[in-house]
Amino acid sequence: MIIGIDDTDSNEGMCTTYLGALLIEELQAYGTVEDHPLLVRLNPTIPYKTRGNAAVALKLKTDFPERAIAHVLSRIKELAHMECEKTNPGAVFILEKDYEKLKPVLRNFLEKAVRSVIEIEEAKNLIFECGISSKGFKNGRGLIGALAACGAMLNLEEWDYTFEHLAYRQKERWGTPREIEKESFFEADRKTYPETWDTVDLTNRLVVCVPHSADPVLFGIRGENQEIVTEAASLIRGEPVGRFAVYRTNQGTDMHLLYAANLAEIQDMHSYRLEGTVLAFPKTIHGGHVIFPIRDKEGNEIDCAAFEPTKNFRLLIRKLRPGDNVALSGSVNSGTLNIEKIEIKTLSPLYKEENPKCPNCGKHMKSSGQAQGFRCKKCKTQAASKILHQIKRDLAAGLYEVPPCARRHLAKPLVREHRSDVDIHPAR
Ligand SMILES: [Zn+2]
């Protein structure tokens, strides 16, 4: 059977992946956990998400599905942060006999949960129509992620994926400051990058794979395969690890992106890859956010933003000029695209006015006075007006991304874009 779980965490602690790691151990009493557990990130723009909008799916080979279901539900009741208003757990159980029937239905549901917006009622209706065994707690919003995670497990061959090695703290340390040797993360990065990524942010000298919240996660290493994330994790030094799990995940795949042929079709709470021409100089607004408008061929416009947390990425964005052609990817909220990546396709030429050069000696001529034109004193040559001289842009065409410290879970890092063995094209 496939077990999907979502929304057991709160901003104060717990983590659905931790519950998943516990269940992987405990469910061995009822059968065998097969394949990798899945960590599925859903639409990053949904406002009611708790921390990362992550759901989990496990595959269990068992002769005792009822007992396994009862165990999962009792653990959710015990461990989920039910007192938190935003915590509304959901669990979904797909029996093996229903795999084929539910595969296409839940594939569509997964895509919608990652790229669009699903209401709780839609999840409940699907559960009812298909006769899926499930349990929603409180308002049952977690049923959405639980169904989507099951859809991912049923359609593993359909999508790009990466891995994350999640190490969890010993329970008695939860809520206390994490004891880690920062340098060991930089070492692990040096030894395993580019097959792992977002362990550290070299430009901003930060360890980015260690959370700051009270949840049980000590660190998470993201990478291309199980071997490499495990190797990197083995290089980390710090407080003792309570338990760990290696998840297969849609993180770092750009699964959330839709292709927008036309800016008119763009909607809030969706993420896109889109193209346009920079319409005005980027402006830095209150809070340090950098914003500029782009326009497509039909004349539709949208504001694009590099927000303050994107740090040094804003220096690049400030160098854009009207007329530059760009392709951007990111999420749209309040009519503004939050940039995750930018491809600068062509740069508009930049000119500077300067005094004309003397055709004889090559030196710049001097002004002869207001509206008097220009002349070279030495050669007595003359010219009527200033000339435009093309100067080099302080920016090169190419692909750029926000630093690791500002990366969205689902955003595909450029280090993966450049690999030839992964699909670089977003959904159409
Ligand atoms: Zn001259």
Side-chain angles (χ1 to χ4, degrees):
M1 69 191 294
I2 294 171
I3 303 164
I5 307 166
D6 188 26
D7 206 5
T8 63
D9 57 345
S10 71
N11 289 325
E12 285 73 46
M14 210 33 215
C15 174
T16 304
T17 71
Y18 178 78
L19 184 57
L22 268 183
L23 289 172
I24 291 166
E25 295 166 21
E26 296 169 359
L27 288 172
Q28 304 289 348
Y30 307 96
T32 314
V33 176
E34 299 178 311
D35 295 344
H36 282 283
L38 286 186
L39 160 53
V40 177
R41 297 284 178 181
L42 308 177
N43 185 344
T45 71
I46 300 290
Y48 47 70
K49 67 179 177 183
T50 45
R51 284 195 311 271
N53 221 0
V56 157
L58 312 172
K59 199 175 200 178
L60 180 71
K61 185 95 188 150
T62 178
D63 293 326
F64 314 102
E66 265 82 51
R67 288 167 61 190
I69 290 172
H71 180 79
V72 170
L73 295 180
S74 77
R75 290 304 258 163
I76 292 175
K77 264 182 229 155
E78 211 174 326
L79 294 166
H81 279 201
M82 300 284 189
E83 69 287 356
C84 170
E85 187 209 339
K86 283 165 116 184
T87 301
N88 297 281
V92 165
F93 307 91
I94 312 276
L95 299 176
E96 211 170 330
K97 66 177 176 60
D98 295 326
Y99 284 5
E100 282 313 305
K101 181 184 88 178
L102 292 175
K103 189 176 164 166
V105 181
L106 290 183
R107 178 190 188 281
N108 294 342
F109 190 89
L110 164 70
E111 282 194 3
K112 195 170 175 193
V114 175
R115 297 177 182 152
S116 188
V117 184
I118 296 185
E119 299 298 333
I120 306 173
E121 279 316 304
E122 189 175 341
K124 287 182 177 169
N125 289 341
L126 179 74
I127 284 167
F128 178 73
E129 284 161 19
C130 298
I132 298 171
S133 172
S134 72
K135 170 80 180 159
F137 298 84
K138 294 162 67 186
N139 77 16
R141 185 168 281 133
L143 291 169
I144 299 170
L147 277 172
C150 291
M153 188 64 99
L154 285 171
N155 293 279
L156 284 179
E157 72 291 350
E158 286 272 333
W159 46 287
D160 180 22
Y161 55 85
T162 63
F163 286 83
E164 180 162 6
H165 178 114
L166 279 155
Y168 301 99
R169 313 184 70 193
Q170 293 177 330
K171 198 167 180 189
E172 56 273 23
R173 290 177 184 262
W174 293 5
T176 65
R178 290 168 175 80
E179 285 171 33
I180 52 156
E181 267 186 55
K182 278 194 172 176
E183 193 42 45
S184 68
F185 290 88
F186 286 90
E187 273 171 44
D189 178 71
R190 274 196 295 278
K191 289 190 176 143
T192 58
Y193 181 89
E195 287 213 282
T196 64
W197 52 83
D198 293 357
T199 304
V200 296
D201 185 326
L202 288 176
T203 310
N204 298 298
R205 288 302 294 175
L206 292 168
V207 173
V208 291
C209 69
V210 175
H212 300 289
S213 48
D215 69 86
V217 175
L218 183 60
F219 62 82
I221 303 278
R222 297 173 180 197
E224 204 59 53
N225 56 62
Q226 175 178 5
E227 293 70 33
I228 200 73
V229 294
T230 302
E231 185 191 333
S234 74
L235 299 169
I236 303 302
R237 294 183 299 273
E239 64 182 55
V241 169
R243 54 170 45 82
F244 73 92
V246 178
Y247 281 94
R248 182 170 162 157
T249 170
N250 63 346
Q251 290 169 172
T253 66
D254 274 351
M255 189 185 184
H256 59 318
L257 299 184
L258 296 158
Y259 178 78
N262 181 318
L263 297 184
E265 64 189 59
I266 285 182
Q267 293 174 276
D268 271 359
M269 291 167 72
H270 291 68
S271 306
Y272 298 93
R273 182 179 151 90
L274 48 85
E275 292 185 23
T277 303
V278 177
L279 196 58
F281 285 87
K283 266 196 302 207
T284 302
I285 61 164
H286 184 70
H289 315 304
V290 180
I291 303 204
F292 63 94
I294 62 164
R295 177 184 280 174
D296 68 9
K297 291 190 188 89
E298 283 79 37
N300 305 297
E301 296 172 19
I302 187 172
D303 275 337
C304 305
F307 289 106
E308 190 282 330
T310 64
K311 305 289 172 202
N312 47 308
F313 183 69
R314 295 172 300 161
L315 302 178
L316 174 106
I317 295 301
R318 285 195 191 106
K319 292 177 182 175
L320 290 168
R321 293 284 176 272
D324 291 345
N325 287 311
V326 294
L328 298 152
S329 61
S331 301
V332 179
N333 261 328
S334 309
T336 300
L337 181 90
N338 180 356
I339 307 170
E340 291 167 7
K341 281 193 287 266
I342 181 168
E343 181 182 2
I344 300 172
K345 303 185 90 142
T346 59
L347 291 165
S348 69
L350 183 63
Y351 297 99
K352 204 177 89 180
E353 261 196 348
E354 61 180 27
N355 291 1
K357 278 182 183 164
C358 167
N360 191 33
C361 71
K363 291 205 169 117
H364 285 287
M365 295 178 173
K366 295 261 165 21
S367 169
S368 315
Q370 183 107 37
Q372 303 275 313
F374 299 85
R375 66 187 179 107
C376 176
K377 270 188 182 167
K378 199 177 110 199
C379 314
K380 313 290 181 209
T381 52
Q382 294 188 358
S385 55
K386 289 200 175 196
I387 55 163
L388 284 178
H389 171 69
Q390 189 172 347
I391 56 172
K392 204 171 174 298
R393 289 282 302 274
D394 181 20
L395 183 63
L399 275 163
Y400 301 90
E401 64 189 340
V402 300
C405 65
R407 179 137 36 226
R408 281 268 169 83
H409 295 301
L410 277 163
K412 186 193 286 187
L414 288 185
V415 40
R416 290 201 78 225
E417 295 264 14
H418 292 149
R419 294 171 63 98
S420 56
D421 56 341
V422 295
D423 175 23
I424 65 161
H425 301 289
R428 274 168 189 267

